[in-house]
Amino acid sequence: MERLFRIFRLDPQKDTSPRFQEYRVTIEPIDKILDCLNRIRWQQDPSLTLRMSCAHGICGSDGMRINGVCTLACQRLAKNYPEDPIIIEPLPNFRVVKDLVVDIEPFFEKYRALKPYLIAEAPGSETERCQSPEEREVFAEAIRCILCACCTAACPVSAENGQFMGPAALLRAFRYLFDSRDEDARARMRMLDTDDAIWGCKSHGKCTEVCPKEIDVRQRLAQTKKKIYEVK
Amino acid sequence: MQLYHDVVIVGAGLAGLRAAVELSGSADIAVVSKVYPTRSHSGAAQGGIAAALGNEGEDSWEWHMFDTVKGSDFIGDQDAIEIMTRDAPRAIIELEHMGVPFSRTAEGRIAQRAFGGHTREFGRAPVKRACYASDRTGRVVLDTLYEQCVKKGVRFYSEFVLIDLSFTDGQAGGALLLEWATGELHEVRARAILLATGGFGKVYKTTSNCFTNTGDAVSLAFRHGVPLQDMEFVQFHPTGIRGLGILISEAARGEGGFLLNSSGERFMERYAPAIKDLAPRDIVSRAILREIQSGRGIDGQDYVHLDITHLGPEVINEKLWEIASFARLYTGAEPTREPIPVQPTCHYMMGGIPTDGDGRVLQDSAGTPLPGLFAAGECACVSVHGANRLGCNSLLDLVVFGARAGKAIRQWLAQARPCARDISDLRDASREKISRLLAAAGKEQVPRIRQQLQELMMEQCSVFRDAAGLEKARRKIQELQQRFGAIGLSVREPRYNMELVEALECDHLLSLAAVIVESALLRRESRGAHFREDYPERDDRNFLCHTMAFKEKKGMRIEKKPVRITRFEPVARTY
């Protein structure tokens, strides 16, 4: 079956404004959107640029907007978009550096800024720290996060406030704040207790809506707020 | 740009990151990666990481060692396997202390599950040895190690492509890197280089590997005269999603799932009566293909069913969430109610750059180290996996030998002199190569050459092989290499140029495929993942050895290298 793709194109070093380019692609029932984009690159237009690696929703490289929704191109089957054209755009809330590629560095910077690592005295023992399945369950959903940036791209607060840490960075902060093994909850809560961190979240819930890993990000951030509020 | 560091680590998967954690604070290190570190392919590992912790039933490192030796079909080097299996429990505890969110037993200990080829009492029955975090073990270990690097302030060069390696007076001393964003070529000098670039499953059409797994560093090392060991041993994972190759973890069978043919028979009972669906991967992949050849594929087609429906939604949701989501997304099957259509998919390279047990690259069959050059992880061949790797032993290999390489590099730095040689000639050669590609105006297309290579390797050099097919593959690869000399590219701009990177990668894939085929031709026996229809038996008299492929002026030569056997003499490999 032949399908029509309308794809965002921009080379900021050459173009003054973006344009949309149309491509016709023959698709198979098992084709992911990513397969279609690669077929365009390999058979029609090698200049089309995107990020990709694992091609099955684990590495988180190919976040983009498909028909207006932030998602992973390797997790969406072309046949599930029955109407032409299928519109492909880069993730919003980030600076486009070429076509579907955005400057993702600020995203990783914010994630790194919120101390995404366990803070705890090294146990002297030669065995593992104990953690009950119930204690682990508290943050088990959050470790599905693959840092694809779809949530942050879809977040209305991130769109307005470039300083906002964004849902992904805050979700990782939740993961460590609620890990029973972590010993620095106080400092973590102080770090999160600002308008650009946890209080920036206005519970729009776009993060939860788009998360390719089906994480209820909004709910996890709400838990973080509640914990900080209770301590204060 | 000219960069100086003590150590350059190429690759930001588990091996590279574990080495970086080891070295940070004591050396100036730089980690170079084609992708952002958290996007490395180690993250795709699902099922677990093996260690005889004994948290869920009695276990011992000797049993683990025996299973690994037997799994390797007796050509894993037993001294190296002993190092790995003895160190495994410590390595896992260390990961837990770093913060890896392992699944837990009711008592709060690290949970463990059964996995293919891992047994108690030297093959008597399956044992729970795989430490896991649901079915995203690789991803959470990758995240944790990256986050340790963040904590320690490790320097990363993300989205940089390795273009060449430099050597001075027989010592590794630098690398040339292409920055994807700018298209600029950078020269980095270092006193030690660690190659940790992973596998190169993209040689094959059907693979669980990511697009970036093209073996660039392995191919470059080979061109510089470094031998490649045991390249004929390519692991096909039994359960890739039909038509896509996406991995469905062995954890599905570890938790109790099983394979079914068209008549609904649990056929693994015939192929491995003692441990059935938990037989090692080479055996299960061959069994699936034999069923298909005998017309017992589902609806007579090229796949079988993996059934986990009886595990129930709760277990599936808690322990197999990712693979259930893959099945739903890509096949439309609801795994709690329907079986998953699967077929073997290229998964792992047992072969690679030969190293000793401390990551030092060996430049000949006698085991002479190549000063300054180190390798760890899938791109290396220690060899702990021999002719067939057991599931969960790869993540273990990465963290054990990644750390050991880090330690060995620290020792090396204490006495290594700086690499003073001017490598401008090499830089000029790389620059010219890139300019030539950017201007290439031939009529051959890289995507077509790559596709034909991948199909060829799938047809002639995958699970079943024979001399006629391998010789055909040898000829065709030479043709493809010639055609590669006449490629045309159309994107002239070096910035964010995917076409350029894919051309460089295709060149590497062609070189590596040639080594795989040549090594497979030489090994006229069947052992582990290498099965020759024309030599269906294992031949210990002639082939209880490693192969070492060396690049020659024209073509290559292959030597045999002895296997180190310390504890377990070869016996028939049945399960």
Side-chain angles (χ1 to χ4, degrees), chain B residues 381-403:
Chain B
C381 182
V382 185
S383 127
V384 284
H385 309 304
N388 172 67
R389 174 173 72 75
L390 294 186
C392 293
N393 268 354
S394 70
L395 293 190
L396 179 62
D397 168 3
L398 305 181
V399 296
V400 167
F401 292 102

Side-chain angles (χ1 to χ4, degrees), chain B residues 324-343:
Chain B
S325 108
F326 296 152
R328 281 181 205 116
L329 277 171
Y330 300 116
T331 74
E334 174 47 53
T336 55
R337 290 193 307 267
E338 301 163 83
I340 306 167
V342 293
Q343 62 187 182

Side-chain angles (χ1 to χ4, degrees), chain A residues 1 3 5 7 13 20 39 42 50 58 65 71 82 103 106 114-115 125-126 129 137-138 143 176 189 191 199 219 224:
Chain A
M1 191 182 22
R3 297 298 310 276
F5 282 76
I7 304 180
Q13 293 209 0
F20 280 87
R39 208 163 296 146
W42 294 333
L50 62 135
I58 282 295
R65 215 157 28 150
T71 188
D103 178 9
L114 292 180
K115 301 196 173 174
S125 68
E126 284 172 13
R129 295 185 191 83
E137 186 57 30
V138 175
I143 63 168
Y176 283 105
M189 286 191 281
M191 180 176 71
W199 305 113
Q219 186 56 32
T224 309

Side-chain angles (χ1 to χ4, degrees), chain B residues 171-228:
Chain B
Q171 179 179 328
L176 285 141
L177 309 170
L178 177 76
E179 183 178 4
W180 189 53
T182 60
E184 278 173 48
L185 195 66
H186 303 292
E187 181 187 332
V188 48
R189 292 200 198 168
R191 288 187 290 154
I193 300 201
L194 172 64
L195 303 178
T197 56
F200 34 95
K202 279 289 166 188
V203 166
Y204 290 87
K205 177 174 174 240
T206 303
T207 176
S208 62
N209 282 201
C210 64
F211 280 101
T212 33
N213 276 358
T214 51
D216 308 5
V218 180
S219 155
L220 287 167
F222 183 64
R223 282 177 205 180
H224 281 285
V226 175
L228 298 182

Side-chain angles (χ1 to χ4, degrees), chain A residues 48-95:
Chain A
L48 176 65
T49 310
L50 62 135
R51 283 196 181 98
M52 55 156 191
S53 188
C54 80
H56 66 287
I58 282 295
C59 77
S61 298
D62 64 348
M64 56 186 72
R65 215 157 28 150
I66 305 175
N67 285 357
V69 178
C70 298
T71 188
L72 300 177
C74 62
Q75 266 202 5
R76 293 285 173 260
L77 299 186
K79 69 173 183 186
N80 293 338
Y81 295 87
E83 282 177 32
D84 278 346
I86 301 173
I87 301 168
I88 310 286
E89 298 164 280
L91 288 180
N93 295 352
F94 295 103
R95 184 173 62 91

Side-chain angles (χ1 to χ4, degrees), chain A residues 11 41-42 51 53 58-60 74 105 111-112 116 127-129 131 136 172 175-176 181 213, chain B residues 36 39 55 96-97 99-102 104 108 110 139 146-147 159 211-212 322 330 450 495 502:
Chain A
D11 182 346
R41 292 198 307 110
W42 294 333
R51 283 196 181 98
S53 188
I58 282 295
C59 77
C74 62
E105 197 50 52
Y111 144 75
R112 289 191 295 255
T127 59
E128 66 267 50
R129 295 185 191 83
Q131 180 170 56
R136 183 181 181 275
R172 193 57 64 107
R175 174 251 176 278
Y176 283 105
R181 299 170 296 173
K213 291 290 164 188
Chain B
Y36 276 83
R39 296 169 173 185
N55 284 358
E96 194 282 326
H97 289 178
V100 171
F102 285 111
R104 300 289 176 151
I110 292 171
R139 179 71 211 209
Y146 175 65
E147 291 166 351
E159 299 187 335
F211 280 101
T212 33
E322 298 282 348
Y330 300 116
R450 184 181 55 221
R495 291 176 294 117
E502 289 182 354

Side-chain angles (χ1 to χ4, degrees), chain A residues 161-186:
Chain A
N161 175 10
Q163 299 301 308
F164 179 47
M165 300 308 277
L170 292 169
L171 180 71
R172 193 57 64 107
F174 163 89
R175 174 251 176 278
Y176 283 105
L177 179 61
F178 281 83
D179 188 328
S180 60
R181 299 170 296 173
D182 195 81
E183 294 168 1
D184 209 8
R186 249 168 207 294

Side-chain angles (χ1 to χ4, degrees), chain B residues 468-484:
Chain B
L470 292 170
E471 275 159 16
K472 183 177 171 194
R474 172 200 268 164
R475 279 196 311 276
K476 290 270 178 194
I477 291 168
Q478 280 166 1
E479 271 174 41
L480 290 170
Q481 283 177 317
Q482 272 171 11
R483 284 172 51 195
F484 186 84

